Amino acid sequence: MLIDSHCHLDRVDLSPYQNDFSEFMRETREAGVDHMLCVSIDLESYPAMLDLVLPYEDISVSAGVHPNDFDRREPDVEALLELASHPRNVAIGETGLDFFRSEGDLEWQRQRFRVHIQAAREAGKPLIIHTRDAREETLQIMREEQAEQAGGVLHCFTENWEMASAALDMGFYISFSGIVTFKNAQELRDVAARVPLDRMLIETDSPYLAPTPYRGKPNEPKYVRRVAETIAELRGMEVSDLANQTAQNFQRLFSTPLK
Ligand code: NI
């Protein structure tokens, strides 16, 4: 079983599929992708995203507002809880801190992150956390808001072992994207070889960050296989075992039993 634990399906390039989402789904299933988690990045695009994916039972959704953009409708705990109550919702996020893409006074980002953690705890749902150039503060806010009570995943992980280890200690999972296939990502591959197998997820973050050899092109969930292949090779195991193990982890974390 192969699962893409993080993608943005309302943003994938449908031009190879006659601009037809159902054709995209047919080919994605045919390529062996059994389930996808379609991750919300703002409240403005959320209703259309939900409409797009609802007909497909092999797609789950999350509810959240990405840390990159200041000029989005600001969610409060209540709004997130309302979205999280949808039967197809399995998580809160993506949320977190990004000091790489945003500059200036980022108090709004910290506050937004805290609101998401509070909502996740209240909803009893795991967090999908984005963190970039903000290691210490991400961990600090996670601790202050008792994020371990909600649990979750550090998605598209690009940080060092110390951060992975601190998140693992809080009960979090670590998710690897196509970045592990990049030539210059040796440090990240070392982390991927070390994270306990039962605490690891794989993802594409489509349509961003296509793995080698598709780098620079629009990413798609079916390329999650490249992520599985790369990590399986690192760890000297069969691709199918890596895929099955990460699929089990997904089902455990997101309480989403799949057939
Ligand atoms: Ni994302």
Side-chain angles (χ1 to χ4, degrees), residues 154-172:
L154 296 196
H155 108 90
C156 194
F157 192 76
T158 52
E159 306 298 330
N160 58 9
W161 171 252
E162 283 62 39
M163 178 149 196
S165 174
L168 289 165
D169 285 348
M170 292 179 77
F172 274 70

Side-chain angles (χ1 to χ4, degrees), residues 6 8 94 155 205:
H6 188 118
H8 304 282
E94 65 182 280
H155 108 90
D205 207 9

Side-chain angles (χ1 to χ4, degrees), residues 98-110 137:
D98 191 326
F99 296 167
F100 180 78
R101 299 246 313 257
S102 303
E103 291 178 331
D105 178 7
L106 298 177
E107 196 46 37
W108 60 271
Q109 221 182 58
R110 297 183 186 93
E137 281 202 57

Side-chain angles (χ1 to χ4, degrees), residues 96-100 109-110 113 129-144 154 156-167 170 187-188 191:
L97 298 178
D98 191 326
F99 296 167
F100 180 78
Q109 221 182 58
R110 297 183 186 93
F113 187 25
I129 296 180
H130 168 111
T131 177
R132 195 158 177 209
D133 275 8
R135 284 174 191 164
E136 286 311 314
E137 281 202 57
T138 301
L139 291 168
Q140 189 190 330
I141 290 178
M142 285 168 71
R143 290 190 185 108
E144 284 172 7
L154 296 196
C156 194
F157 192 76
T158 52
E159 306 298 330
N160 58 9
W161 171 252
E162 283 62 39
M163 178 149 196
S165 174
M170 292 179 77
E187 191 190 356
L188 185 62
V191 175

